[in-house]
Amino acid sequence: QVQLTESGGGLVQAGGSLRLSCSASGNNFRIKTMGWYRRAPGKQRDLVATITSERSTNYADSVKGRFTISRGNSKNTVYLLMSSLRPEDTAVYYCYAGVLITDGIKDREVWGQGTLVTVSA
């Protein structure tokens, strides 16, 4: 199976920056797409940004120009650089990976446990 491990969350003042990291580990898999989603207090989980293996990116309108998603050379890591943070960015951020399980040749969606980002006004 595939496991996603997130890091980088924490408390930051409005206007500050944080960098989230996510690494995939396991056996018999190849990552196709990775990304970040978030769930703010009292709200649904929604998309922040995604990136393909070719490094094509997609961002939610609310984070365009402020957040940057990138992928490591190994293709099993994804980063989210968050700048100009606002209190409304406060949420649990979840790493996402669309993977091909090569053991049984199956497509799967894998989610991390989430890392909390708190932005104070």
Side-chain angles (χ1 to χ4, degrees), residues 48-89:
V48 177
T50 59
I51 184 168
T52 69
S53 59
E54 291 74 34
R55 292 180 169 82
S56 176
T57 59
N58 183 44
Y59 295 91
D61 289 340
S62 60
V63 306
K64 286 181 179 177
R66 299 189 299 120
F67 292 8
T68 301
I69 190 169
S70 61
R71 204 160 167 177
N73 291 333
S74 68
K75 308 294 185 181
N76 68 345
T77 58
V78 65
Y79 308 95
L80 185 68
L81 176 60
M82 304 181 293
S83 300
S84 301
L85 283 163
R86 305 191 287 241
E88 51 263 43
D89 294 317

Side-chain angles (χ1 to χ4, degrees), residues 2-117:
V2 182
Q3 180 182 358
L4 301 179
T5 303
E6 301 135 324
S7 64
L11 175 65
V12 65
Q13 287 185 298
S17 299
L18 280 176
R19 184 173 183 259
L20 305 183
S21 300
C22 176
S23 297
S25 60
N27 301 107
N28 301 313
F29 75 95
R30 297 181 65 179
I31 295 177
K32 297 184 292 184
T33 300
M34 299 190 76
W36 293 92
Y37 291 71
R38 68 186 181 186
R39 178 177 289 170
K43 297 184 178 180
Q44 301 180 78
R45 179 185 295 183
D46 52 19
L47 180 144
V48 177
T50 59
I51 184 168
T52 69
S53 59
E54 291 74 34
R55 292 180 169 82
S56 176
T57 59
N58 183 44
Y59 295 91
D61 289 340
S62 60
V63 306
K64 286 181 179 177
R66 299 189 299 120
F67 292 8
T68 301
I69 190 169
S70 61
R71 204 160 167 177
N73 291 333
S74 68
K75 308 294 185 181
N76 68 345
T77 58
V78 65
Y79 308 95
L80 185 68
L81 176 60
M82 304 181 293
S83 300
S84 301
L85 283 163
R86 305 191 287 241
E88 51 263 43
D89 294 317
T90 295
V92 176
Y93 285 71
Y94 297 90
C95 182
Y96 161 86
V99 304
L100 172 66
I101 307 299
T102 56
D103 187 1
I105 313 179
K106 300 288 180 61
D107 291 329
R108 293 287 185 271
E109 294 184 347
V110 184
W111 294 90
Q113 294 296 104
T115 184
L116 177 63
V117 173

